[in-house]
Amino acid sequence: MWGEKESVLFDVAVLGELVIDLIPASRTAGQPLYAASPGGAPGNVAAGLARLGLRCAMLSKVGPGAFGDLLVRTLTDAGVGPGGIVRAATEPTALAVVSLAANGEREFMLYREGCADASLSAQELPADILSSCRLLHVGSLSLATPVSAEAQRQAVACVRENGGLISADVNFRPAIWRDLDAMRTTGIEAARNADILKVSAEELAMLSGRHDIRAGAEAIWHPSLELLAVTCGEAGAVLFTREHRADVPGWPVGVVDTVGCGDAFMAAMLAELLRRGSMPATERELAEIGRFACAAGAVVAGVSGAMAVMPRRQDIDALLAKASETCASLGAAR
């Protein structure tokens, strides 16, 4: 079976940044008030995987004090194994100030200089988790700082050596990079190491230099890549394997904010792949996985927050069932 191993402590290990998102919550005297919300794309994916029933471990580093406590507590409440989270003595937890447009789209200003997760070293990684997990999920932001970059590279090598799979979400944040070529370089590295890769349509264009999705997918494809998902916001997603392509429409939902939607998509896609135990063999199977993942993203779009509100399977199934009922009703009306 795909991703199966004889001795597994965790189905998935997730390595990367944990961040406190400061999200606009209200206003007083004309000034915005911000609420502290636990986040960071890798942490959101870890919470999403655990809430979907997988055994998941988080590998990261947080600062001392209330923000680090909030992140660890939220992940633990979601069912994530926190044994791989290191507590820094002095370096602070990273912060992201989030601004929301009227349509719910978000922009991030990330404060990561000298933060705890940038100092996660290879020596602090739990070798037992990495050597036994079925899959390691990573992003590209840890590759931006030397110490955490070396940790990510060692983690990838360890999982590969022990027969595990690598998943990646490049998750570009151009606003925090002084050098966009350096950002692109980290994304290329993450993509080239991945068996399973998620990018947005905009990220695909940055990586490939091509704006057509199929042409971009062909440009970044490599021999180890087994599945590529290209998310297109409210328009849905396009999924590729070596043999098949599936165009999956988005879900019409009332958008509260889009923070965490891509992470919910990623978690749901990985959960479905690991549940099935093999890569999709047909276009229909590929579309089913994409539909489930898009529904997960839509569930999160309808609520505020990210890590603490990653959907459970019943939440996604409820949206899928509602859509099926609507289609049946429309068919009967005809």
Side-chain angles (χ1 to χ4, degrees):
M1 293 288 282
W2 179 79
E4 285 292 344
K5 301 178 74 172
E6 290 184 5
S7 177
V8 174
L9 289 176
F10 292 94
D11 297 304
V12 183
V14 178
L15 185 149
E17 68 275 9
L18 291 173
V19 179
I20 292 295
D21 293 332
L22 298 178
I23 299 177
S26 61
R27 300 182 74 86
T28 180
Q31 300 301 315
L33 296 178
Y34 290 84
S37 177
N44 294 339
V45 172
L49 287 163
R51 287 169 70 91
L52 289 169
L54 277 79
R55 295 167 294 174
C56 184
M58 185 73 212
L59 314 182
S60 189
K61 194 169 186 176
V62 297
F67 284 165
D69 293 343
L70 176 58
L71 284 159
V72 173
R73 184 171 65 251
T74 304
L75 286 167
T76 302
D77 289 347
V80 177
I85 301 176
V86 180
R87 297 300 293 259
T90 56
E91 297 98 336
T93 300
L95 298 177
V97 179
V98 183
S99 59
L100 299 175
N103 64 355
E105 286 297 327
R106 74 278 190 267
E107 292 184 357
F108 292 84
M109 182 58 70
L110 184 58
Y111 295 87
R112 193 169 178 264
E113 192 76 26
C115 72
D117 69 82
S119 69
L120 178 69
S121 70
Q123 292 71 35
E124 292 172 313
L125 295 175
D128 56 340
I129 293 175
L130 290 170
S131 62
S132 66
C133 66
R134 297 168 66 189
L135 182 145
L136 171 68
H137 176 70
V138 298
S140 65
L141 191 56
S142 291
L143 296 171
T145 44
V147 175
S148 58
E150 180 58 31
Q152 179 160 318
R153 290 170 186 139
Q154 179 165 309
V156 168
C158 180
V159 172
R160 280 260 185 251
E161 289 168 5
N162 287 279
L165 298 162
I166 307 298
S167 161
D169 179 357
V170 301
N171 200 36
F172 285 153
R173 295 283 180 261
I176 70 170
W177 286 83
R178 297 185 181 92
D179 183 348
L180 295 185
D181 287 336
M183 179 188 75
R184 182 173 179 271
T185 297
T186 66
I188 290 172
E189 179 176 346
R192 285 178 176 169
N193 282 319
D195 301 291
I196 303 159
L197 176 65
K198 182 185 85 67
V199 295
S200 69
E202 295 80 9
E203 290 163 347
L204 179 62
M206 290 182 193
L207 288 173
S208 67
R210 304 182 186 184
H211 292 280
D212 177 76
I213 287 179
R214 179 176 288 280
E218 290 174 351
I220 69 168
W221 201 273
H222 57 81
S224 297
L225 189 59
E226 296 193 56
L227 190 150
L228 168 66
V230 183
T231 56
C232 305
E234 63 183 12
V238 185
L239 277 69
F240 297 90
T241 62
R242 292 188 182 93
E243 295 84 16
H244 302 292
R245 166 178 174 159
D247 291 79
V248 183
W251 295 87
V253 296
V255 176
V256 175
D257 73 54
T258 58
V259 177
C261 292
D263 306 325
F265 178 103
M266 185 85 243
M269 182 174 72
L270 292 177
E272 274 298 280
L273 287 168
L274 290 171
R275 183 184 69 83
R276 291 167 182 250
S278 62
M279 290 301 298
T282 65
E283 182 180 325
R284 179 177 178 178
E285 290 180 1
L286 186 61
E288 288 173 349
I289 291 169
R291 191 165 179 260
F292 186 79
C294 282
V299 171
V300 173
V303 296
S304 179
M307 186 186 293
V309 296
M310 288 288 111
R312 299 188 188 278
R313 185 167 293 274
Q314 56 264 36
D315 303 321
I316 303 170
D317 288 342
L319 181 57
L320 292 170
K322 184 178 179 180
S324 297
E325 290 171 3
T326 301
C327 290
S329 298
L330 291 173
R334 294 193 186 110

